[in-house]
């Protein structure tokens, strides 16, 4: 019985292996990097690409990949295909794995699918200018955090190649696990982006809502020769020309005046200073009067003032001036000459064309051309296939076993650090959502600030709630500016006593850029040491 069971398991294993090999044979191109890449892939000889590629195992596995081995370098390597791959007929699947073993703060991990060399490039001089059909994969630096999908398409009217970028692409996973990126080009003009086999984005190549600029140009465009007439009035409202300032309107009246009815509180200590010399302080032994000047003890709060209403010279407080009206302005009325916002007239677009499907250039080579500040980026299992099931089979056999091992290890490390599996999943969803929020058009001016907050949160997952609050504050501040025109509330004028009684030590966080902080730190480090003689008021 035992022998029969073993025989049955062996048969099933052989069937599985045969099925997998059959799937492998259906791939148009496949690179596992099980063998060294030298002699098969060509490293660019251009001077700017000094990064060293390595044939290396993925950390914790026996599986090999192509490794970015040095930080702060440019890298370029290319593999010519035996036959060009057409992107016009049927389904085409582009898939590859990357593992950011040291994370990714600034750099790319994408692949370029190159046009035939007849387009004007040679393998040994492969670089940024080498013409490609598609660029696909993760890129993260500064305000950029996206899984790129860019295709170049020739305008049949002008003969120029135009880059078309996928709008609102998925964000890059922030962990150090193996991930598989899949782009499926379908014959119905649909594009589907998968991350670890899960659909993250669906678009249509012909839709202006999905690509920027749109593949098919607008039928009409603004006439570049049309100019706004000199007498064109775009003001919807104008000051009332018949309005006049009232006789009793005093523009010079101050906003606040001294409260004449105020009286000095009983017990006020006029002759006591708010601060006195610290009676417990003594001159440091290393104090040099010639070098450091005459030593004076530091100042401390006067204890006599703590029990009194106040100390020092008393002044009447300020109050709002009932006569204050500010600068007079004439009221606004509808402009009788208003013609609306001027726009040039539309004319036929000479570059307009129609297509039923994109006229993709074939793929003749696969290239990796990146600049990165991180090392440890591992590329593996690069695939071009004509069947989605083939790509799925690769994910199941080559990527998923590694990912499961890495995920379990990460889970153990999170538990050891006191982070539950549910919390880790929640945090991932939060940061993925925040990256999408940062791409919202009306937040564009604040994108860098939001991304800086998010990246701090990724490095310190325990402050996730704080990150959410910080981003919410930024968004609410923007909404406030939109609603109220960015006007700041009028500052209240207070007396010296009120200011001193309500002032507290600052406990705010510096919201400046990292560059400014570094500059400030450098300046502080370069400045000579200065001894404090007295506490400054």
């Amino acid at each position: 019985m035992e022998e029969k069971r073993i025989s049955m398991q062996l048969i099933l294993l052989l069937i599985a292996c045969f099925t997998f090999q059959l799937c492998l044979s259906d791939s148009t191109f496949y690179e596992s990097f099980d063998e060294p890449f030298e002699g098969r892939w060509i490293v660019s000889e251009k001077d700017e690409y000094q990064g060293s590629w390595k044939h290396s195992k993925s950390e914790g596995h026996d599986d090999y990949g192509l490794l970015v081995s040095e930080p702060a370098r440019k890298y370029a390597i290319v593999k010519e295909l035996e036959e060009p791959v057409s992107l016009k007929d049927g389904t085409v699947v582009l898939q590859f794995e990357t593992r950011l073993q040291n994370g990714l703060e600034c750099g790319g991990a994408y692949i370029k699918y190159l046009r035939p060399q007849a387009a004007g490039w040679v393998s040994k001089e492969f670089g940024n200018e080498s013409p490609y059909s598609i660029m696909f994969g993760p890129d993260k630096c500064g305000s950029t955090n996206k899984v790129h999908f860019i295709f170049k398409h020739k305008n049949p009217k002008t003969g120029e190649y135009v880059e078309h970028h996928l709008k609102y692409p998925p964000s890059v996973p922030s962990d150090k696990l193996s991930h598989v990126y899949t782009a499926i080009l379908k014959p119905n003009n649909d594009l589907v982006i998968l991350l670890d086999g899960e659909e993250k984005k669906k678009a249509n190549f012909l839709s202006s809502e999905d690509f920027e600029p749109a593949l098919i140009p607008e039928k009409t465009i603004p006439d570049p020769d049309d100019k706004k007439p000199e007498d064109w009035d775009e003001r919807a409202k104008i000051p009332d020309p018949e309005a006049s300032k009232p006789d009793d309107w005093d523009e010079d009246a101050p906003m606040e005046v001294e409260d004449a009815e105020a009286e000095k509180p009983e017990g006020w200590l006029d002759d006591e200073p708010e601060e006195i010399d610290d009676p417990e302080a003594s001159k440091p032994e290393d104090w040099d009067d010639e070098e450091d000047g005459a030593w004076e003890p530091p100042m401390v709060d006067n204890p006599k003032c703590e029990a009194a209403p106040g100390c020092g010279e008393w002044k009447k407080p300020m109050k709002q001036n009932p006569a204050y009206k500010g600068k007079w302005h004439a009221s606004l009325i509808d402009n009788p000459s208003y013609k609306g916002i001027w726009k040039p007239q539309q004319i036929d677009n000479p570059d307009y064309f129609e297509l039923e499907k994109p006229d993709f250039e074939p793929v003749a080579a696969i290239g990796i051309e990146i600049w990165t500040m991180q090392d440890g980026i591992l590329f593996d299992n690069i695939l071009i296939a004509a069947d989605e099931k083939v790509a799925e089979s690769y994910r199941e056999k080559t990527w998923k076993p590694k990912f499961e091992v890495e995920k379990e290890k990460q889970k153990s490390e999170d538990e050891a650090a006191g982070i539950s599996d549910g919390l880790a999943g929640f945090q991932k969803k939060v940061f993925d959502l925040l990256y999408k929020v940062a791409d919202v058009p009306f937040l564009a001016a604040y994108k860098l600030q939001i991304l800086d907050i998010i990246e701090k949160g990724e490095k310190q997952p325990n402050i996730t709630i704080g990150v959410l609050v910080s981003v919410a504050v930024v968004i609410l501040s923007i909404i406030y500016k939109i609603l109220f025109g960015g006007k700041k509330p009028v500052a209240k004028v207070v007396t010296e006593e009120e200011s001193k009684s309500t002032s507290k030590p600052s406990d705010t966080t510096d919201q400046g850029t990292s560059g400014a902080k570094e500059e400030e730190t450098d300046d502080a480090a370069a400045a000579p040491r200065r001894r404090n003689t007295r506490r400054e008021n």
Side-chain angles (χ1 to χ4, degrees), residues 388-400:
E388 295 177 49
K389 293 188 179 297
V390 173
E392 182 181 357
S393 176
Y394 275 91
R395 292 195 298 270
E396 291 295 320
K397 299 296 181 181
T398 65
W399 164 76
K400 193 169 184 179

Side-chain angles (χ1 to χ4, degrees), residues 110-135:
Y110 43 78
I111 286 180
K112 292 182 176 180
Y113 299 86
L114 302 164
R115 290 159 51 194
Q117 292 188 351
W121 67 279
V122 294
S123 297
K124 290 184 178 181
E125 296 181 5
F126 169 57
N128 183 54
E129 301 301 322
S130 300
Y132 64 86
S133 290
I134 289 174
M135 189 177 103

Side-chain angles (χ1 to χ4, degrees), residues 504-521:
K504 295 182 180 180
S506 175
D507 190 30
T508 57
T509 302
D510 182 12
Q511 296 295 328
T513 64
S514 59
K517 291 179 183 176
E518 291 173 2
E519 182 179 346
E520 182 180 342
T521 303

Side-chain angles (χ1 to χ4, degrees), residues 10 32 75 143 148 196 209 214 216 234 276 297 327 341 418 436 449 451 457-458 460 469 506 511 517 526:
L10 182 60
S32 66
Y75 291 80
S143 62
H148 282 294
D196 297 343
E209 299 297 321
I216 300 177
E234 293 182 332
I276 60 173
K327 184 79 173 174
I341 303 301
K436 292 179 181 179
Q449 183 180 351
L451 289 176
E458 288 179 334
Q460 304 177 62
V469 172
S506 175
Q511 296 295 328
K517 291 179 183 176

